Amino acid sequence: MFFGGNVFPADTSASPRKDLSGKYEIIYGVNPDKTKYTGILQIINLGETYKLVWKVPQFTIYEGIGILVDNVLCVGWNAGAHCGVVAYKIEGSKLKGKWASSKSGSIGTEDLEGPAGLGGVYKITNAYNPDTGSNYAGTVSINKNGEIYSVNWSLLSESYSGIGILEGDLLIVSWGVGQNTGVVDYKIEDKILIGRWATPGNTGIGIENLSKIY
């Protein structure tokens, strides 16, 4: 997706930014239908963002783009096609968004304002695309369906749809092409990543916990 907002300020705290790059084993993977799976995930540091590549036996190779917000790695993924991710920090009726696209890996932002409670139509109040260097306007509709959220963007000349999950005060949304796309968030606990994920067409949440190999 090609939209954004003002880029989040750089981290000026004394603590260095954690580097999540490396190879991880899926030590506990559960689909929304409760079937289990295993596999390997490679996380590659791109500077501002992360590239993720999953290799799961009997399935296609999935690739994703991730951004780190606080202690959560927020990821959108797809099976070989363009995808992106946006993480909105919820502040009452305002959502402060940070996003990245797999095409460039650059970070933009998108701020929304609308109903409290994550439901309804939100106005894009401040949006910036770092790839084009331009602002944009439009609306975003958010609707809850089971444990997941459907999100639809209506911009001046284009529209997008995505799927989201809630992690604390973060609404994490992915967008991509077709049904082989989804969203996942990983809470960071040292060398263990605790993940939750969802895909279009499902109302439940999957689980994917990782352990770093190297």
Side-chain angles (χ1 to χ4, degrees):
M1 181 165 9
F2 300 100
F3 63 88
N6 294 333
V7 176
F8 279 19
D11 184 1
T12 56
S13 65
S15 300
R17 180 182 175 90
K18 184 175 181 64
D19 184 4
L20 299 177
S21 59
K23 188 175 183 180
Y24 294 78
E25 179 185 4
I26 300 174
I27 55 175
Y28 185 66
V30 181
N31 293 302
D33 65 3
K34 307 306 180 184
T35 57
K36 296 182 179 181
Y37 65 94
T38 59
I40 297 295
L41 170 64
Q42 188 78 37
I43 300 180
I44 303 162
N45 191 332
L46 300 179
E48 291 185 302
T49 59
Y50 289 92
K51 178 180 179 179
L52 293 87
V53 181
W54 289 263
K55 295 182 179 180
V56 178
Q58 300 178 343
F59 289 93
T60 186
I61 294 177
Y62 294 93
E63 295 187 1
I65 185 76
I67 53 178
L68 190 60
V69 180
D70 298 329
N71 200 46
V72 179
L73 180 62
C74 311
V75 181
W77 51 266
N78 206 314
H82 172 51
C83 62
V85 64
V86 55
Y88 295 108
K89 183 161 287 189
I90 304 164
E91 300 177 358
S93 62
K94 296 181 179 180
L95 280 66
K96 303 293 185 180
K98 173 181 179 180
W99 66 271
S101 158
S102 64
K103 282 190 174 181
S104 69
S106 298
I107 288 182
T109 62
E110 180 179 283
D111 297 343
L112 310 178
E113 187 167 358
L118 286 184
V121 178
Y122 294 76
K123 181 181 179 181
I124 298 173
T125 58
N126 186 23
Y128 175 77
N129 185 341
D131 298 333
T132 63
S134 61
N135 298 327
Y136 68 91
T139 60
V140 179
S141 64
I142 301 174
N143 296 285
K144 188 176 182 182
N145 185 15
E147 295 183 89
I148 67 173
Y149 293 82
S150 61
V151 181
N152 294 278
W153 291 263
S154 179
L155 308 183
L156 292 180
S157 60
E158 52 196 351
S159 60
Y160 301 90
S161 61
I163 183 171
I165 53 178
L166 192 62
E167 180 61 61
D169 63 352
L170 290 177
L171 176 63
I172 302 159
V173 185
S174 73
W175 71 90
V177 179
Q179 292 295 308
N180 288 326
T181 187
V183 61
V184 57
D185 71 74
Y186 297 106
K187 289 192 294 185
I188 304 164
E189 298 183 5
D190 194 19
K191 293 184 178 182
I192 302 294
L193 303 183
I194 307 299
R196 299 164 60 250
W197 59 271
T199 57
N202 288 306
T203 59
I205 297 290
I207 299 172
E208 186 172 286
N209 297 342
L210 310 173
S211 178
K212 191 169 187 178
I213 301 172
Y214 61 80

